[in-house]
Amino acid sequence: MYNLDIMSWLTEDKLLYLMEQYRSFGPFPGIALTFMKSFVPPLPTIAIVGLNGAVYGLWLGFLYSWIGLVAGCVTTFLIIRKISSHAYVRKWSLRPKVAKAMKWVRQSGFSYVFLLSIFPVGPFVVINMAAGLAGMKLRSYLLALMAGKAIMVFVVSYIGNDVERFIRRPAEGIYVLLFIGLSLWGVKAIEARFSRAGREGGSK
């Protein structure tokens, strides 16, 4: 109930108000909010990254969002890798969705992390944890994550940097909805692809 109350309070307008209030702290608010995404999954990635673009401008907004998201994902990855032998974590790794993700990471770690990192929607927490549990090399994980997040953050920051354009021309909002829709479809398509590859590999 407490978590639901927090999430209902964190609307886009209130996030924008908070960022404007604490803008004097420099990049910290923008980086901190995107960093928290890895630990509070319901936080709206598109809204936060877009707000960074609106508050800090395209390039600084992109940089702060990218640093925060990458730092949060890597922190999750390293924590899970460190405590992977804990009984609770081993039990959690047996869940179907996590077990599938771990299997895909072991088969095509770089491609899986890179492709799913491009999209602003998706099971980010599961991906990061599965990569840590599956023993993916830090270097490969970092390269895939940094490249994928850079593409996603730039697109969302570009939209957020010129929100007024979408207010003046509501029809252009269709592109935003299309981007979100394609992201959802892309995540499902990629998961289906890895699922088929897993079944084909298991049948050999």
Side-chain angles (χ1 to χ4, degrees):
M1 179 66 74
Y2 181 68
N3 287 334
L4 289 175
D5 289 341
I6 292 175
M7 294 317 304
S8 63
W9 184 83
L10 285 175
T11 62
E12 188 170 344
D13 287 340
K14 286 176 180 173
L15 285 171
L16 179 58
Y17 173 78
L18 284 172
M19 290 180 69
E20 290 286 4
Q21 286 292 305
Y22 294 100
R23 194 173 180 181
S24 59
F25 287 90
F28 177 75
I31 294 174
L33 272 175
T34 46
F35 178 85
M36 285 170 58
K37 171 64 187 175
S38 295
F39 302 93
V40 187
L43 282 174
T45 305
I46 294 176
I48 294 172
V49 173
L51 286 173
N52 274 351
V55 172
Y56 295 104
L58 175 60
W59 294 109
L60 285 179
F62 160 77
L63 180 63
Y64 299 158
S65 294
W66 181 74
I67 290 173
L69 285 172
V70 170
C73 290
V74 172
T75 301
T76 305
F77 171 84
L78 292 175
I79 289 173
I80 291 298
R81 196 164 72 165
K82 187 74 173 177
I83 63 173
S84 60
S85 60
H86 191 279
Y88 175 79
V89 176
R90 286 203 305 270
K91 184 179 178 180
W92 183 82
S93 69
L94 296 175
R95 293 183 178 183
K97 193 169 186 178
V98 180
K100 269 187 181 181
M102 288 173 63
K103 184 177 181 180
W104 295 334
V105 168
R106 290 190 181 109
Q107 290 173 340
S108 308
F110 185 92
S111 298
Y112 183 62
V113 174
F114 170 73
L115 289 171
L116 290 183
S117 293
I118 291 176
F119 302 107
V121 291
F124 301 122
V125 175
V126 172
I127 295 165
N128 297 330
M129 292 184 170
L133 286 168
M136 186 176 178
K137 291 183 178 179
L138 178 60
R139 181 184 177 185
S140 295
Y141 173 77
L142 266 176
L143 288 173
L145 177 72
M146 291 168 70
K149 291 298 184 191
I151 295 170
M152 182 273 285
V153 171
F154 180 79
V155 172
V156 179
S157 296
Y158 177 77
I159 295 170
N161 182 57
D162 195 7
V163 176
E164 290 184 2
R165 185 183 70 188
F166 295 95
I167 295 174
R168 292 193 305 269
R169 305 172 188 171
E172 293 195 13
I174 294 172
Y175 297 122
V176 179
L177 296 175
L178 185 62
F179 177 56
I180 296 170
L182 285 173
S183 296
L184 287 167
W185 175 83
V187 169
K188 296 297 181 184
I190 291 166
E191 288 187 334
R193 172 193 161 191
F194 280 102
S195 185
R196 283 197 304 272
R199 287 196 297 271
E200 290 169 3
S203 62
K204 290 180 181 179

